[in-house]
């Protein structure tokens, strides 16, 4: 019998609630938004809506492996513990490390951090949140004395002005963006400003888009502070009563509007309009994300934004404040438990001897670390240099996601001992592991996560564990016990860990630390199971949680006052030059997540942007054609991507998405290009500004294969694997021509049933065309299309033939002509992933039915009516 379970989405930091109808017998889910969850009130994005398609067991890591051999948990755990013990004995505690992930639940994170920093005695526990949130953490700490996000999502509806800074929320935080869109529709007077070098989908609702020069955000907000002072738009009483350091910050921001326009390469009138709007609206929210954080001066940019809010007293009150949008589902939870290498736990860190002593006494340990460990980039440099001999990577894929990713790959190849806990068997990182530990994935894990507005929600198990998989907290606990720390790691369930985490947050707190969930220190198992989404702090003073902080003007600094930070804008470290004249910007797509280990399983999420691509401004596209291939090179590495020529880029800038891996693309790893420069305060990498060059990739041939079965490819130089509903698609390009195309194709399909297979072939040697179709029992099995000069057939109408139980004669002929038979439907490139609606379908409906608005398109085709992320593209078609 089906049951319904409330849980939390495992993707971005919005933290959407999900209602999952579970069919255990067939291992299936029916996913809908939880209408009662305050993060989304029932809305889901394309990724969240497709979660039911990602729970298949194919490709899962289901059994421990030691040096490629399946083994028992006992053997694998013994080996991990013994290897760590022996490494520490020989080289010291700093020769081992843990690298975690915002995919971990809070309970997992807490135990991992406690083991490394509290009992192994090294600070070498860092996390992939270093790559997305550490500049926000550092900026908050400098300004507020604590890593506090002061506002909440309710502020979106109450604001008079919302600024999106370095945030394509329409694609990266779609449900929050739809909430902002709805607020704009309900209140047309609400001003929306987008500050981003790219014209993104988020500009669809913007009253003003400031396409500033890459890296110039600090100058922009310094200029705003200067303007506010010139216009007497500051809150002098608030500054005097509740802040320190204002004079120094104002002096550092002495830059007039002409100078800002020049530094940011902005139109002076647009800049003036933005400054006037900020001055003239009291309720202003500054939403910022990776365009601010992922910078060699990210912390300064965060503080430049916060300075403007402190100077106007616009913080902690409804509808106003700086608001960091977290990237991952539990990036906030990881910060709470001390997942970053400079932190301890419960928002305490190594900066204060009292914090170290306090955590040591609470954990009852004599061996607590005394100093920060290696942050992410330094950690993998230390592995490369042989300083760290053993590393345990949990739930993340650094061979793809870290900058200078080829060096990371070499580091792990040369490391004495690499352990990876993951739920997926084959990733670029698991391929380099000596020990693989099968962790439970979303739908099996049980614990808590914290979203961007400090809201703690339950992630609940929907299925029984697959194979021999175990929760991360259990795996860590078992290793800790084998290392001799039994007494401190006696946990039998997540609720016990959550209680301890809550108790530590309140231990000797007395209101001195922002993070305090001590009301949960004695939570009963049933209450934990039924825990409702709650914003921290949750303590004696706020037993039901607290929506906003700092409304009383009290901060967590020594003086109780917020700190202005004097900002001197700095240019990015690596600048374009004659050899590398373009700036590489990177980021997420609407329908994919991180390194695609989950999203690529859902066919509908692969249709909108199926290949690695590069967006190039027309001025920089000399020698390039739309949909051709290009090689992108930096001083650190190279990749190949499909060209999209668009004026949404500034001249001199290109954009490449972050997601593809060696599991899904040959030479598609963006991380190989990115410089490993970091912010000196936060140690967050500069992922938005790498000098590169681009040139046409000119293969001898290009082609594609559509196959009902997944293939073991004889991969040419360029290839991409794309999972469809009933087929796999392979995009290919090679530098050398096979002597015989038929032999080449038959070799690829050698594992198929050749006895009952019919081949249809067409070859035009003069034009370099080859096409073949394989048909089994009159049902399409696979298609090959190769060309050396001419265009290739459209893919989308061909993929539709895989749904047919039997091909008609006209369809069989069309396989070789490459054109749909008369009356055949070609839907075109998928625009709406939620309902699988193609561009040509939308264009036809617009023309035939005279549709005028995206709402009319939605009523006709459903496109744009779920997550709304495709609405800008629908508007463009209109």
């Amino acid at each position: 019998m089906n049951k319904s379970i409330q849980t939390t989405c495992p993707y971005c930091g919005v933290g959407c609630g999900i209602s999952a109808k579970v069919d255990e017998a067939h291992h299936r889910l029916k996913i809908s938004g939880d209408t009662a969850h305050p993060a989304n009130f029932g809305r889901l994005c394309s990724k969240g809506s497709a979660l039911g398609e990602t729970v298949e067991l194919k490709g899962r890591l289901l059994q421990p492996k030691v040096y490629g051999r399946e083994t028992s948990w006992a053997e694998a755990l013994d080996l991990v513990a013994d290897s760590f013990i022996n490494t520490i004995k020989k080289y010291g505690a700093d020769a081992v490390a843990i690298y975690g992930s915002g995919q971990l639940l809070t309970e997992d994170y807490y135990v991992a951090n406690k083991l490394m920093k509290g009992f192994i005695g090294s600070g070498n526990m860092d996390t992939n949140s270093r790559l997305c949130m550490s500049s926000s953490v550092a900026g908050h700490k400098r300004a507020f004395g604590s890593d506090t996000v002061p506002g909440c999502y309710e502020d979106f509806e109450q604001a008079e002005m919302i600024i999106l800074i370095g945030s394509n929320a329409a694609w990266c935080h779609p449900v929050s963006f739809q909430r902002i869109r709805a607020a704009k529709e309900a209140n047309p007077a609400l001003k929306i400003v987008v500050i981003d070098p790219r014209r993104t989908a988020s500009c669809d609702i913007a009253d003003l888009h400031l396409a500033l020069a890459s890296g110039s955000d600090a100058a922009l907000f310094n200029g705003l502070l200067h303007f506010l002072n010139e216009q007497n738009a500051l809150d002098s009483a608030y500054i005097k009563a509740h802040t320190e350091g204002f004079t120094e910050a104002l002096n550092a921001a002495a830059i007039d509007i002409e100078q800002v326009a020049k530094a940011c390469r902005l139109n002076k009138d647009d800049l003036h309009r933005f400054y006037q709007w900020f001055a003239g609206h009291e309720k202003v929210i500054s939403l910022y994300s990776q365009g601010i954080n992922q910078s060699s001066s990210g912390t300064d940019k965060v503080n430049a934004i916060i300075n403007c809010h402190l100077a106007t007293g616009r913080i902690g009150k409804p509808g106003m404040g700086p608001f960091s949008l977290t990237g991952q589902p539990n990036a906030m939870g990881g910060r709470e438990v001390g997942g970053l290498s400079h932190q301890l736990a419960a928002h305490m860190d190594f900066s204060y001897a009292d914090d170290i002593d306090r955590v040591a006494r609470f954990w009852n340990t004599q061996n607590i670390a005394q100093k920060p460990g290696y942050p992410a980039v330094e950690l993998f440099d230390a592995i490369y240099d042989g300083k760290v001999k053993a590393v345990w990577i949990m739930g993340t894929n650094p061979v793809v996601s870290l900058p200078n990713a080829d060096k990371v790959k070499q580091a792990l190849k040369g490391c004495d001992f690499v352990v990876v806990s993951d739920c997926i068997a084959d990733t670029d990182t698991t391929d380099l592991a000596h020990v693989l530990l099968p962790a439970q994935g979303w739908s099996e894990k049980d614990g808590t996560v914290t979203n961007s507005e400090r809201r703690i929600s339950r992630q609940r198990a929907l299925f029984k564990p697959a194979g021999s998989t175990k929760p991360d907290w259990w795996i860590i606990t078992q290793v800790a016990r084998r290392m001799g720390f039994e007494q401190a790691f006696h946990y039998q369930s997540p609720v016990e860990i959550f209680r301890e985490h809550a108790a530590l947050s309140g231990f000797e707190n007395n209101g001195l630390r922002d993070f305090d969930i001590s009301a949960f220190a004695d939570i009963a198992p049933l209450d934990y199971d039924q825990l409702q989404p709650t914003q921290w702090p949750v303590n004696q003073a706020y037993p039901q949680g607290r929506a906003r902080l700092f409304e009383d003007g009290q901060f967590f600094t020594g003086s109780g006052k917020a700190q202005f930070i004097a900002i001197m804008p700095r240019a990015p470290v690596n600048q374009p030059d004659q050899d590398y004249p373009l700036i590489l910007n990177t980021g997420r797509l609407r329908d994919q997540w991180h390194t695609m280990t989950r999203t690529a399983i859902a066919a509908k999420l692969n249709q909108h942007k199926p290949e690695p691509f590069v967006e190039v401004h027309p001025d920089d596209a000399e020698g390039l054609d739309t949909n051709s291939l290009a090689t992108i090179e930096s001083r650190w590495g190279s990749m190949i991507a499909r060209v999209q020529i668009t004026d949404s880029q500034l001249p001199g800038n290109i954009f490449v998405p972050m997601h593809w891996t060696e599991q899904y693309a040959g030479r598609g790893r963006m991380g190989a290009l990115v410089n490993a420069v970091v912010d000196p305060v936060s140690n967050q990498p500069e992922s938005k500004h790498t000098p590169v060059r681009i040139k046409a990739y000119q293969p001898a041939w290009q082609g594609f294969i559509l196959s009902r079965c997944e293939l073991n490819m004889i991969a040419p130089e360029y290839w991409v694997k794309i999972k469809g509903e009933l087929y796999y698609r392979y995009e290919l390009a090679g530098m050398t021509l096979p002597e015989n195309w038929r032999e080449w194709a038959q070799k690829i399909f050698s594992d198929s049933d050749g006895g009952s297979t019919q081949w249809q072939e067409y070859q035009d040697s003069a034009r370099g065309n080859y096409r073949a179709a394989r048909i089994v029992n009159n049902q399409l099995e696979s298609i090959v299309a190769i060309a050396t000069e001419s265009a290739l057939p459209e893919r989308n109408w061909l993929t539709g033939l895989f749904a047919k139980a039997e091909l008609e004669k006209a369809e069989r002929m069309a396989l070789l002509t490459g054109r749909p038979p008369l009356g055949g439907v070609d839907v075109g490139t998928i625009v709406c992933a939620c309902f699988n609606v193609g561009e040509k379908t939308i264009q036809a409906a617009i023309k035939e039915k005279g549709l005028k608005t995206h709402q009319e398109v939605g009523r006709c085709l459903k496109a744009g009516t779920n997550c709304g992320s495709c609405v800008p593209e629908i508007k463009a078609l209109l």
Side-chain angles (χ1 to χ4, degrees):
M1 189 173 75
N2 292 1
K3 57 185 176 181
S4 186
I5 298 174
Q6 271 59 51
T7 187
T8 309
C9 181
Y11 292 122
C12 76
V14 175
C16 294
I18 281 174
S19 182
K21 288 188 177 176
V22 183
D23 180 354
E24 277 193 33
H26 301 94
H27 204 266
R28 286 199 298 248
L29 296 175
K30 186 175 181 182
I31 296 293
S32 59
D34 180 356
T35 56
H37 198 292
N40 60 316
F41 296 113
R43 272 197 174 276
L44 291 177
C45 73
S46 60
K47 296 185 291 291
S49 299
L51 272 166
E53 299 173 40
T54 69
V55 295
E56 66 176 39
L57 298 182
K58 180 184 176 184
R60 285 287 303 275
L61 178 63
L62 298 174
Q63 190 70 24
K65 289 185 177 181
V66 169
Y67 296 103
R69 162 180 65 81
E70 286 194 352
T71 187
S72 66
W73 269 110
E75 182 187 358
L77 294 167
D78 285 346
L79 179 58
V80 173
D82 290 346
S83 297
F84 268 55
I85 289 168
N86 292 333
T87 301
I88 292 164
K89 280 181 180 176
K90 191 170 182 180
Y91 301 106
D94 288 335
V96 301
I98 291 175
Y99 186 62
S101 165
Q103 304 294 299
L104 294 173
L105 303 187
T106 299
E107 293 76 5
D108 306 322
Y109 246 136
Y110 180 86
V111 177
N113 192 55
K114 180 179 178 180
L115 170 61
M116 178 55 67
K117 293 170 185 167
F119 288 83
I120 288 175
S122 169
N124 287 348
M125 160 99 194
D126 208 52
T127 160
N128 62 10
S129 292
R130 179 71 66 183
L131 312 183
C132 60
M133 297 316 304
S134 55
S135 291
S136 282
V137 173
H140 291 159
K141 285 278 286 184
R142 291 203 301 188
F144 310 143
S146 59
D147 176 20
T148 311
V149 174
C152 59
Y153 296 156
E154 287 179 3
D155 291 328
F156 299 168
E157 286 85 10
Q158 302 190 43
E160 298 166 340
M161 179 175 174
I162 296 176
I163 314 167
L164 289 163
I165 313 159
S167 167
N168 182 15
W171 279 18
C172 302
H173 299 91
V175 170
S176 286
F177 183 78
Q178 293 312 314
R179 190 164 179 172
I180 295 168
R181 182 194 289 277
K184 174 74 169 172
E185 290 172 355
N187 175 23
L190 171 63
K191 297 295 185 190
I192 308 288
V193 178
V194 173
I195 299 173
D196 196 315
R198 299 169 64 215
R199 188 177 70 247
T200 67
S202 298
C203 295
D204 181 56
I205 63 170
D207 297 289
L208 178 65
H209 171 214
L210 296 178
L212 79 175
S214 174
S216 64
D217 311 77
L220 179 75
F221 283 92
N222 263 5
L224 174 57
L225 184 62
H226 179 79
F227 178 88
L228 294 169
N229 182 60
E230 295 263 295
Q231 298 295 311
N232 296 314
L234 303 180
D235 188 336
S236 299
Y238 186 90
I239 293 169
K240 184 176 181 180
H242 300 298
T243 73
E244 294 174 334
F246 172 70
T247 301
E248 293 83 353
L250 186 62
N251 289 339
I255 178 171
D256 64 30
I257 203 160
E258 286 83 5
Q259 292 170 309
V260 175
K262 183 178 179 181
C264 298
R265 297 181 205 157
L266 289 171
N267 177 282
K268 180 184 168 184
D269 292 339
D270 288 343
L271 187 60
H272 191 257
R273 184 178 300 114
F274 167 56
Y275 284 179
Q276 283 187 315
W277 285 354
F278 193 103
H281 294 86
E282 183 189 12
K283 294 184 175 182
V284 179
I285 301 175
S286 296
L287 290 167
Y288 64 91
S289 193
Q290 308 315 337
I292 291 294
N293 295 329
Q294 290 179 332
S295 166
S296 54
S297 58
T299 308
D300 283 353
K301 292 175 182 178
V302 170
N303 285 116
I305 294 167
I306 292 173
N307 282 349
C308 296
H309 281 270
L310 292 176
T312 51
R314 296 171 184 169
I315 190 166
K317 302 167 192 170
M320 62 182 81
F323 199 134
S324 157
L325 292 175
T326 48
Q328 295 189 81
N330 203 31
M332 182 78 77
R335 288 145 66 178
E336 292 160 11
V337 301
L340 295 166
S341 62
H342 65 281
Q343 300 174 325
L344 272 166
H347 282 197
M348 291 178 275
D349 61 41
F350 291 106
S351 302
Y352 307 102
D354 286 351
D355 281 0
I356 299 171
D357 174 67
R358 183 179 297 111
V359 177
R361 285 185 287 108
F362 182 87
W363 281 342
N364 193 23
T365 177
Q366 306 301 312
N367 198 37
I368 195 165
Q370 299 295 312
K371 66 182 193 305
Y374 293 118
V377 172
E378 283 185 36
L379 171 59
F380 285 88
D381 283 346
I383 295 169
Y384 184 88
D385 294 336
K387 297 174 185 174
V388 170
K389 307 286 186 180
V391 62
W392 187 352
I393 299 165
M394 300 175 182
T396 186
N397 198 0
V399 174
V400 179
S401 57
L402 274 167
N404 198 3
D406 286 343
K407 183 179 181 181
V408 174
K409 188 174 185 178
Q410 291 303 314
L412 292 180
K413 277 184 175 179
C415 186
D416 291 356
F417 190 65
V418 178
V419 186
V420 177
S421 301
D422 211 315
C423 55
I424 301 297
D426 294 315
T427 73
D428 293 36
T429 302
T430 60
D431 283 353
L432 303 175
H434 302 112
V435 177
L436 287 174
L437 303 176
Q440 291 170 3
W442 181 86
S443 80
E444 298 160 349
K445 292 169 74 75
D446 189 74
T448 59
V449 293
T450 308
N451 74 355
S452 293
E453 61 168 353
R454 295 174 282 105
R455 191 176 298 277
I456 299 169
S457 296
R458 287 281 278 111
Q459 198 174 102
R460 296 181 174 92
L462 309 178
F463 295 117
K464 293 174 182 174
S468 296
T469 61
K470 297 289 186 183
D472 288 282
W473 67 262
W474 181 91
I475 301 169
I476 299 158
T477 295
Q478 293 300 311
V479 170
R481 291 176 182 180
R482 284 166 165 81
M483 292 184 72
F485 310 129
E486 166 79 35
Q487 198 59 38
F489 294 87
H490 51 74
Y491 315 109
Q492 300 295 317
S493 65
V495 66
E496 297 173 34
I497 304 168
F498 185 74
R499 282 192 204 118
E500 184 178 311
H501 166 52
L504 176 54
S505 75
F507 183 59
E508 298 179 356
N509 190 328
N510 303 318
L512 298 175
R513 303 192 301 275
D514 64 332
F515 180 68
D516 184 352
I517 57 168
S518 52
F520 295 133
D522 297 310
I523 192 169
L526 180 62
D527 292 333
Y528 178 77
D529 288 343
Q530 297 177 351
L531 183 66
Q532 296 303 299
T534 308
Q535 286 175 279
W536 61 257
V538 192
N539 51 20
Q540 192 170 4
Y542 299 95
Q544 303 305 314
R546 185 178 179 185
R548 298 174 187 85
L549 285 92
F550 308 144
E551 63 264 43
D552 56 1
Q554 293 300 302
F555 296 86
F556 293 94
T557 57
S559 65
K561 294 184 176 184
Q563 303 296 302
F564 280 94
I565 305 298
I567 300 301
M568 301 299 293
R570 290 179 285 116
V573 173
N574 291 307
Q575 290 293 335
D577 56 26
Q578 190 172 349
D579 293 328
Y580 298 94
L582 303 173
I583 297 166
L584 170 68
N585 183 10
T586 68
R588 288 181 178 150
L589 296 182
R590 185 188 78 189
D591 297 337
Q592 295 295 350
W593 175 252
H594 282 199
T595 61
M596 298 170 63
T597 50
R598 184 186 291 114
T599 45
I601 298 169
K604 68 169 63 171
L605 298 180
N606 299 324
Q607 307 311 308
H608 182 237
K609 300 288 185 183
E611 289 182 82
F613 65 88
V614 54
E615 291 183 347
V616 188
H617 189 274
D619 291 357
D620 303 311
E622 185 179 349
L624 304 175
D625 296 314
T626 295
N627 291 326
S628 66
L629 292 170
T631 301
I632 309 157
E633 297 173 329
S634 74
R635 289 185 171 84
W636 297 271
S638 68
M639 69 174 291
I640 299 174
R642 190 73 64 182
V643 174
Q644 295 184 359
I645 299 173
T646 170
D647 62 3
S648 66
Q649 293 298 311
L650 287 175
N653 291 249
I654 67 172
F655 173 82
V656 174
M658 62 178 278
H659 305 287
W660 277 268
T661 74
E662 288 183 353
Q663 311 301 314
Y664 291 100
R667 299 193 57 194
R669 284 163 59 245
M670 172 278 292
L673 295 169
V674 178
N675 49 206
V677 174
V678 300
D679 180 302
V681 181
S682 68
N683 288 292
Q684 179 157 349
E686 169 78 89
S687 297
K688 303 291 186 183
H689 194 105
T690 299
V692 296
R693 62 189 175 211
I694 188 169
K695 62 183 179 182
Y697 176 73
Q698 297 175 316
W701 61 273
Q702 295 192 55
F704 66 84
I705 295 173
L706 303 173
S707 173
R708 193 173 293 278
C709 302
E710 190 171 3
L711 302 173
N712 294 315
M713 284 296 300
I714 303 167
E717 287 78 5
Y718 175 83
W719 62 271
V720 180
K721 180 174 76 172
I722 305 147
K723 183 182 178 183
E725 291 290 351
L726 295 168
Y727 61 90
Y728 287 86
R729 172 179 161 191
Y730 298 86
E731 292 292 326
L732 311 168
M735 298 303 290
T736 55
L737 287 163
E739 289 184 16
N740 186 304
W741 278 115
R742 181 168 192 173
E743 287 181 7
W744 177 87
Q746 286 180 326
K747 196 176 289 185
I748 289 173
F749 301 121
S750 61
D751 56 342
S752 301
D753 179 15
S756 61
T757 300
Q758 294 177 291
W759 278 74
Q760 290 181 195
E761 282 184 291
Y762 160 80
Q763 185 156 357
D764 181 347
S765 299
R767 300 183 67 190
N769 288 347
Y770 174 77
R771 292 177 196 153
R774 297 168 63 252
I775 298 169
V776 178
N777 299 325
N778 209 31
Q779 189 177 44
L780 182 60
E781 186 66 22
S782 54
I783 308 166
V784 181
I786 304 296
T788 58
E789 295 177 7
S790 58
L792 289 158
E794 290 287 335
R795 282 59 153 180
N796 283 300
W797 70 270
L798 287 168
T799 61
L801 298 179
F802 285 89
K804 291 182 170 284
E806 193 170 301
L807 293 182
E808 298 171 10
K809 183 178 179 180
E811 290 166 340
R812 290 180 67 141
M813 293 299 296
L815 293 173
L816 299 186
T817 65
R819 291 187 294 272
L822 193 63
V825 178
D826 179 9
V827 302
T829 303
I830 297 299
V831 171
C832 176
C834 295
F835 297 109
N836 210 39
V837 185
E839 179 179 305
K840 292 182 180 179
T841 303
I842 297 170
Q843 287 173 324
I846 291 169
K847 185 177 180 181
E848 293 166 13
K849 301 187 180 183
L851 306 179
K852 297 289 193 295
T853 67
H854 74 270
Q855 291 93 340
E856 290 177 0
V857 172
R859 285 192 288 272
C860 180
L861 301 172
K862 296 181 76 174
T865 60
N866 182 40
C867 75
S869 298
C870 60
V871 167
E873 288 176 79
I874 296 171
K875 285 184 175 180
L877 294 174
L878 286 161

